[in-house]
Amino acid sequence: MTNVKYIYESESDFPDVSFCDLNLFTTKDGLNFYLNKSNEYLNNLSSSITENSSVEQLGSEKLLFLNMLNYINFNFIVLNKSIQKSIVNPLEKMLITCIFNNFPCSLDDFDWFYDAFYGSCYKFNTNILKNSKPISPGMTGGLQLEILLGEQQN
């Protein structure tokens, strides 16, 4: 005897999709922020060095560089969100094409957030599209993104 059981599963909700730009300080404001905070860190470091400071006390060059990056990262995190967003590449410079379920997406379909490891990130499907279902699986269904990460070469 064979027992057959049919199970119907509804379609899954479309997930949140994020992409990030590790090159955090590529805008003019971002580069100025990076240079100002680097100089601030190095000035603080040089004022704490005495004639009696040893290499062991200061640490390796790699450790000094990582500490400087942590200092810059911390100073970026404590800024308010509007200032943070003015320092990073805006979505309108990065998003070339966005299509969801065969309809164009807008910039309003993305939310910006900062990740200490991945940098400046944008998340799709956080607002009006929440709980949306892709109309078909595969390359032509769901989400199609064309993004530029990094500086455009001339």
Side-chain angles (χ1 to χ4, degrees):
M1 179 172 183
T2 303
N3 188 5
V4 178
K5 187 177 187 179
Y6 292 96
I7 300 175
Y8 173 78
E9 292 186 18
S10 64
E11 296 174 349
S12 298
D13 291 341
F14 191 79
D16 289 349
V17 175
S18 299
F19 60 91
C20 302
D21 186 357
L22 288 169
N23 302 310
L24 190 60
F25 304 114
T26 56
T27 65
K28 183 179 178 182
D29 289 342
L31 184 58
N32 287 336
F33 176 82
Y34 177 82
L35 292 174
N36 289 337
K37 292 304 170 185
S38 297
N39 288 333
E40 189 177 289
Y41 175 81
L42 294 172
N43 288 336
N44 290 341
L45 180 65
S46 65
S47 67
S48 66
I49 296 175
T50 65
E51 289 182 29
N52 299 328
S53 296
S54 67
V55 174
E56 291 82 20
Q57 289 172 317
L58 296 175
S60 69
E61 288 178 17
K62 184 178 180 180
L63 182 60
L64 289 173
F65 180 71
L66 289 174
N67 285 338
M68 183 176 75
L69 289 180
N70 284 337
Y71 178 83
I72 294 168
N73 190 40
F74 173 78
N75 279 275
F76 182 80
I77 289 171
V78 297
L79 295 173
N80 73 47
K81 193 172 183 174
S82 64
I83 294 174
Q84 287 177 335
K85 287 178 78 171
S86 74
I87 290 174
V88 302
N89 274 328
L91 181 60
E92 49 270 12
K93 281 190 170 184
M94 299 168 61
L95 188 63
I96 298 167
T97 307
C98 179
I99 298 171
F100 182 68
N101 282 343
N102 296 322
F103 291 100
C105 316
S106 77
L107 297 175
D108 294 332
D109 296 326
F110 293 85
D111 281 333
W112 179 83
F113 67 97
Y114 175 72
D115 182 274
F117 186 75
Y118 293 110
S120 175
C121 301
Y122 294 92
K123 186 187 300 185
F124 176 79
N125 196 30
T126 57
N127 297 323
I128 59 171
L129 298 176
K130 200 69 170 163
N131 302 320
S132 293
K133 313 263 190 251
I135 57 173
S136 65
M139 267 181 26
T140 58
L143 178 65
Q144 298 173 50
L145 284 177
E146 185 180 4
I147 51 178
L148 173 67
L149 295 177
E151 289 297 313
Q152 195 169 16
Q153 301 296 317
N154 292 332

